[in-house]
Amino acid sequence: MKKLWGERFKSELHDLAKEFSYSLGVDFELLDAEVRVSIAHATMLGKSGIISHRDSRLLVRGLRQVLATLKKKVVCELIRDYEDIHTLIQVQLEKKIGRVGKKLHTARSRNDLVSTSTRIYVRERIQDLLILVNRLQTALVIQAERNQKVIIPGYTHLQRAQVVLLAHHLLAYVEMLDRDKSRLVDAKLRLNECPLGAAALAGSNLPVDRFYVAKLLGFRKPTANSLDSVSDRDFAIEVLSAIAILFTHLSRLSEDLILWSSQEFAFVKIADEFSTGSSLMPHKKNPDILELIRGKTGEAYGNLMSLLTTMKGLPLAYNRDMQEDKKPLFASCRLAQKALGVLELVIRTIEVEEANCRKASKDSFLFATDVLEYLVKRKVPFREAHQIVGSLVQRALDSHTSLSGLPFEVYQEYSRIFKRDVFECFEPELSVRLKSSAGSTRPDFVLRQVRRRKSQLKAEVRALKRSNRERGLV
Ligand code: ARG
């Protein structure tokens, strides 16, 4: 058994305890980040004179070799033998370069190490997610532009309410996704402080240069309090929370598309590539991929709850409970990557059924509010106008006709203010064009927003790619 401790014990860890506590199966994913942290640490040890320059160089070279070797390994072969990723790298390093390898762990602990490499890992996943969210937004904007003339009923309480542009509906998700990105960026800003040098909990007696390590690893600065450094996981909770909120949006978008692709709505067709059939009913075409995005949202929420619950009630500083941060954290990052990737493709390939949208948006009750505002524009007090139109709706329902099907004379019975031009209110194109409030569904507003978003998204993706390249991420 290879571990980093043991001399003060009379017996080995029980096999069951080993199996229960070993974490390499999960934290192997930190391999890359761990080696980078160790290279920075070894460089700093040499620079600060804690070890010789020669030893420092040997460590760095050895770590590079270890990384290259371990990258080729199948992790399940190692799981039983090593407690965690830190142990694996340390033991492999000693195998490669001998006694000097034992100097790597000078002035550090696995407690500060794991927090540092997890932050680096998360920082990079955030960069990946930002690009993926950007791509999903771009797909939505492209559909909005492609279908800029299409009008659909907008809903509240899932009851037909007022007509809106389909593009406006799609752009609503672009807004939500923009906030999701800003939550991720914000989380990244806060987590971008380097815990290394906090050691086990109290700091080190050796003259480590924490500012130098922080700089080498691209952190803004070292963390300010060694106890906090090794016992905080709120950086992971924040990311899990941002991902959970992101999933709320992905799930709602999926739900809208599931509804829209049903025969009851029939506003869109989902491409065959992203639909499945039934093993029993030959005619079925089911939106399983979208349902799974909605379904897997449960996992994203669960991961957040899992870590919140793990952290609650832990005394300062490090506790082994905290090892349980990685499973939900990695799982949510992976899940978000996959969901964003597939949803982007679903959006790119949907086909809008314009004729059905047009038909649905002709329902005259959708324009009751336009009739109301027609009266208000002609100085009828709002509540009075509401009553008048409400009564007209009632009258239409009683006589089994539509709101536009009532004769002009009936309109006049309820208010002399009505002129024949009231029937223009029932034109979907006019209804959207008459909206004047900022952020409304007026076509020129929506088109301007499409253009603005399109160029913003393009500039953003360029900046993200550039910053990833600079950090060697792509
Ligand atoms: N693998 C542990 C974790 O991820 C780090 C090890 C620290 N363990 C310890 N007993 N101090 O949290």
Side-chain angles (χ1 to χ4, degrees):
M1 133 127 104
K2 294 128 188 157
K3 49 185 164 47
L4 303 181
W5 48 273
E7 290 65 35
R8 56 108 53 233
F9 292 85
K10 292 209 175 94
S11 59
E12 277 281 326
L13 192 62
H14 192 286
D15 275 352
L16 275 181
K18 238 196 248 178
E19 199 195 318
F20 189 64
S21 61
Y22 278 23
S23 60
L24 188 61
V26 175
D27 58 30
F28 188 75
E29 196 146 343
L30 289 178
L31 174 67
D32 226 71
E34 280 271 322
V35 172
R36 272 158 62 197
V37 174
S38 287
I39 288 176
H41 184 67
T43 309
M44 180 280 293
L45 290 175
K47 180 178 174 271
S48 329
I50 300 171
I51 62 172
S52 70
H53 282 297
R54 188 179 164 274
D55 285 352
S56 166
R57 275 197 301 273
L58 262 174
L59 286 174
V60 171
R61 205 176 314 139
L63 282 162
R64 295 217 167 98
Q65 289 168 4
V66 168
L67 178 64
T69 317
L70 287 179
K71 270 191 165 164
K72 288 186 219 130
K73 287 244 189 252
V74 187
V75 65
C76 52
E77 287 167 10
L78 307 164
I79 285 174
R80 286 178 168 276
D81 295 334
Y82 297 90
E83 185 178 336
D84 50 27
I85 183 68
H86 329 295
T87 312
L88 175 66
I89 293 172
Q90 179 66 45
V91 173
Q92 295 296 320
L93 183 66
E94 288 174 31
K95 269 194 198 158
K96 281 244 185 307
I97 64 169
R99 190 156 168 259
V100 177
K102 293 184 193 294
K103 298 192 178 184
L104 175 66
H105 215 54
T106 310
R108 76 175 193 190
S109 145
R110 285 180 293 170
N111 300 352
D112 56 345
L113 174 58
V114 76
S115 174
T116 311
S117 31
T118 309
R119 284 167 195 244
I120 289 182
Y121 174 91
V122 172
R123 211 167 62 179
E124 290 174 5
R125 294 298 75 71
I126 289 178
Q127 290 298 107
D128 299 341
L129 290 178
L130 290 175
I131 291 196
L132 288 164
V133 176
N134 177 299
R135 285 201 192 132
L136 174 58
Q137 288 179 298
T138 305
L140 287 162
V141 169
I142 289 172
Q143 285 292 5
E145 193 176 36
R146 194 178 292 160
N147 297 286
Q148 52 182 278
K149 295 227 151 56
V150 178
I151 297 176
I152 54 167
Y155 297 78
T156 61
H157 314 267
L158 201 55
Q159 307 288 325
R160 284 184 178 174
Q162 288 181 275
V163 288
V164 292
L165 289 181
L166 175 88
H168 195 52
H169 194 119
L170 298 177
L171 286 181
Y173 284 102
V174 175
E175 294 297 315
M176 293 177 224
L177 293 167
D178 230 54
R179 293 192 294 276
D180 289 318
K181 281 188 308 196
S182 78
R183 265 182 286 273
L184 288 167
V185 169
D186 198 43
K188 193 176 84 178
L189 190 73
R190 253 188 305 282
L191 70 77
N192 208 15
E193 296 183 1
C194 185
L196 206 69
L201 77 165
S204 169
N205 295 1
L206 300 164
V208 288
D209 185 345
R210 296 194 58 212
F211 287 87
Y212 182 62
V213 181
K215 194 165 154 247
L216 285 182
L217 292 170
F219 286 103
R220 279 190 296 136
K221 56 178 181 181
T223 48
N225 179 301
S226 62
L227 288 169
D228 174 47
S229 311
V230 292
S231 59
D232 144 66
R233 287 294 180 272
D234 57 46
F235 73 87
I237 293 174
E238 276 197 68
V239 174
L240 284 172
S241 156
I243 291 178
I245 299 172
L246 164 70
F247 260 96
T248 308
H249 298 149
L250 303 188
S251 183
R252 294 187 70 180
L253 174 54
S254 301
E255 169 67 4
D256 273 345
L257 293 173
I258 291 166
L259 285 172
W260 286 2
S261 67
S262 71
Q263 273 137 301
E264 278 64 19
F265 284 78
F267 293 170
V268 295
K269 265 200 200 127
I270 294 167
D272 283 2
E273 284 168 280
F274 301 104
S275 310
T276 58
S278 156
S279 60
L280 180 73
M281 301 166 282
H283 69 290
K284 289 296 295 291
K285 177 177 168 185
N286 300 325
D288 287 30
I289 301 302
L290 294 167
E291 290 171 280
L292 281 169
I293 291 172
R294 194 177 56 185
K296 285 172 194 278
T297 299
E299 188 187 330
Y301 292 179
N303 289 337
L304 169 62
M305 281 318 292
S306 153
L307 187 56
L308 279 170
T309 313
T310 297
M311 293 308 294
K312 156 188 185 306
L314 295 187
L316 291 190
Y318 180 83
N319 299 271
R320 189 66 180 270
D321 314 44
M322 289 156 69
Q323 176 173 292
E324 296 308 304
D325 61 347
K326 286 170 218 60
K327 217 198 269 177
L329 184 61
F330 297 173
S332 267
C333 291
R334 230 177 284 130
L335 189 63
Q337 281 186 0
K338 287 193 182 148
L340 285 165
V342 74
L343 189 53
E344 181 209 337
L345 296 179
V346 175
I347 301 290
R348 276 189 191 280
T349 51
I350 52 174
E351 224 180 274
V352 175
E353 305 226 57
E354 273 190 63
N356 294 338
C357 295
R358 198 172 314 116
K359 194 164 155 238
S361 59
K362 287 239 183 274
D363 174 355
S364 71
F365 292 107
L366 285 163
F367 306 95
T369 313
D370 294 278
V371 176
L372 190 161
E373 290 189 338
Y374 171 98
L375 290 174
V376 172
K377 274 188 189 164
R378 288 158 183 78
K379 307 289 176 239
V380 180
F382 182 87
R383 298 276 10 123
E384 218 175 288
H386 193 282
Q387 276 168 1
I388 294 169
V389 183
S391 309
L392 282 165
V393 169
Q394 177 69 261
R395 181 82 173 254
L397 291 172
D398 283 349
S399 28
H400 305 288
T401 183
S402 62
L403 194 55
S404 56
L406 291 172
F408 178 59
E409 295 64 43
V410 176
Y411 274 77
Q412 286 231 310
E413 259 177 54
Y414 289 89
S415 170
R416 290 267 148 210
I417 303 290
F418 283 125
K419 299 284 165 297
R420 286 195 184 273
D421 64 357
V422 67
F423 289 100
E424 287 169 13
C425 288
F426 298 101
E427 267 311 304
E429 279 74 19
L430 186 66
S431 171
V432 287
R433 231 181 317 131
L434 282 178
K435 297 285 167 295
S436 60
S437 58
S440 69
T441 194
R442 202 169 100 178
D444 54 335
F445 290 178
V446 174
L447 192 60
R448 199 180 314 145
Q449 194 61 4
V450 163
R451 297 215 170 108
R452 191 178 301 147
R453 281 290 177 212
K454 216 170 145 188
S455 66
Q456 268 174 9
L457 287 165
K458 259 193 203 147
E460 184 187 70
V461 88
R462 274 198 302 270
L464 279 166
K465 282 191 175 154
R466 198 180 322 120
S467 83
N468 282 357
R469 248 194 322 273
E470 276 159 17
R471 282 210 206 98
L473 295 183
V474 288

